[in-house]
Amino acid sequence: MAPESNMNGTAEPPPQTASAPSTPESATAVTFEHAVPESGPPGAFVHELYSWGWQTLPRHFDKAAAEGSFVHVVAATERPRYPPEHPSAGKPMGTQWLVFRFRSEGLFTATHAHVAVIGRSQATAAWNRGRGFVFGHQVLLPDDPNACPVGPAGSAHAQPETWWTASTAATQAQRNHVWGPPLCSTPSILDFRDYQVALHVADGGWVAFWIVDVETNEQISVGWQDTINAESELVDGLTGYALALVNGASRSQPWRFIIHDIRAGWF
């Protein structure tokens, strides 16, 4: 139906029947996929599940040749305030939480990828701000003091990471820091297993995450204070989150990385 015209002949939008939500709908499931069909070229996709169905997008551009970048970004979440009976009544809630389940179907075997889980985030396909962790293959050279243990094919480890932007009057550059031992896990995250994840990112740079093997209940649990992020105060004010995968290039072997039951909030 076309917009109605007023007496001056200019178009006016139809009256609103319902108010828009305060923030856009967030996906409840995301799959990063490298597909190798029986005929035709390989394809790489990001599938996102919303209340109205699935959306499929091509994977994101690379910062380096053959990197293989996949990104799902939620720009902002509603940050409630503490209720009147709380000691911090009226102030914005101080801890963001994010939970989801995941399953790697060949990613760790077929690629050298790692996955980033970023809270208090502002992110694009090219750079990030925020705090969280990465899991997958080693992101540092073996002789780096922050390098983590490397396991057999099909296995992965987890370690904390923080992201910020270094700015001058003329340039902006992506910066990050990863923590190694004793904060990195053993390479006990495996292909074709189901895991439950929780991430908490609190004011003041406090961060914690948990990764639980759904079958065995074995748990990775890490907590720390991020005093390295050069944009710490800015990051404390962010409310988004991001799920990203890099180094996922694979020309011959198919793989899927499935994330579902995604929920986020504040306390």
Side-chain angles (χ1 to χ4, degrees):
M1 180 182 296
E4 296 181 357
S5 296
N6 62 15
M7 294 180 64
N8 296 322
T10 58
E12 291 183 345
Q16 297 292 320
T17 58
S19 59
S22 57
T23 56
E25 179 185 355
S26 299
T28 57
V30 177
T31 295
F32 302 141
E33 179 184 30
H34 178 79
V36 181
E38 292 185 3
S39 61
F45 307 99
V46 177
H47 310 282
E48 301 170 330
L49 178 62
Y50 297 91
S51 61
W52 43 264
W54 285 94
Q55 171 175 265
T56 295
L57 302 168
R59 74 167 178 86
H60 297 77
F61 67 88
D62 297 332
K63 292 181 288 182
E67 184 178 62
S69 298
F70 301 72
V71 183
H72 173 71
V73 173
V74 174
T77 61
E78 184 178 1
R79 185 176 182 179
R81 295 181 179 273
Y82 290 109
E85 64 273 13
H86 194 276
S88 298
K91 294 182 179 180
M93 291 187 175
T95 300
Q96 181 193 41
W97 58 266
L98 171 66
V99 298
F100 60 87
R101 289 195 176 200
F102 77 85
R103 178 181 178 87
S104 168
E105 296 188 344
L107 174 71
F108 302 137
T109 303
T111 76
H112 289 90
H114 64 269
V115 178
V117 181
I118 311 170
R120 305 296 273 267
S121 171
Q122 181 187 43
T124 72
W127 57 271
N128 304 294
R129 286 183 168 110
R131 313 184 204 269
F133 66 99
V134 292
F135 61 93
H137 286 273
Q138 181 59 256
V139 299
L140 301 172
L141 296 175
D143 59 351
D144 191 297
N146 286 328
C148 289
V150 177
S155 69
H157 68 273
Q159 64 186 118
E161 186 165 357
T162 187
W163 297 262
W164 69 93
T165 300
S167 301
T168 68
T171 64
Q172 287 188 321
Q174 174 71 63
R175 296 288 184 266
N176 68 302
H177 176 81
V178 292
W179 285 266
L183 294 181
C184 54
S185 74
T186 59
S188 56
I189 303 170
L190 305 175
D191 271 340
F192 302 102
R193 298 286 287 269
D194 295 297
Y195 295 88
Q196 176 74 43
V197 171
L199 170 69
H200 291 179
V201 186
D203 290 346
W206 294 100
V207 192
F209 69 86
W210 300 262
I211 304 175
V212 180
D213 186 314
V214 173
E215 180 180 341
T216 67
N217 284 324
E218 294 180 2
Q219 178 174 280
I220 296 168
S221 177
V222 181
W224 74 101
Q225 185 180 20
D226 175 10
T227 60
I228 292 175
N229 193 307
E231 294 184 306
S232 187
E233 186 174 348
L234 184 156
V235 169
D236 273 354
L238 298 176
T239 65
Y241 60 86
L243 302 167
L245 189 156
V246 295
N247 298 332
S250 174
R251 297 185 179 182
S252 59
Q253 294 178 276
W255 57 262
R256 291 195 305 172
F257 189 82
I258 301 166
I259 307 166
H260 61 100
D261 295 344
I262 303 170
R263 295 178 290 119
W266 294 81
F267 64 83

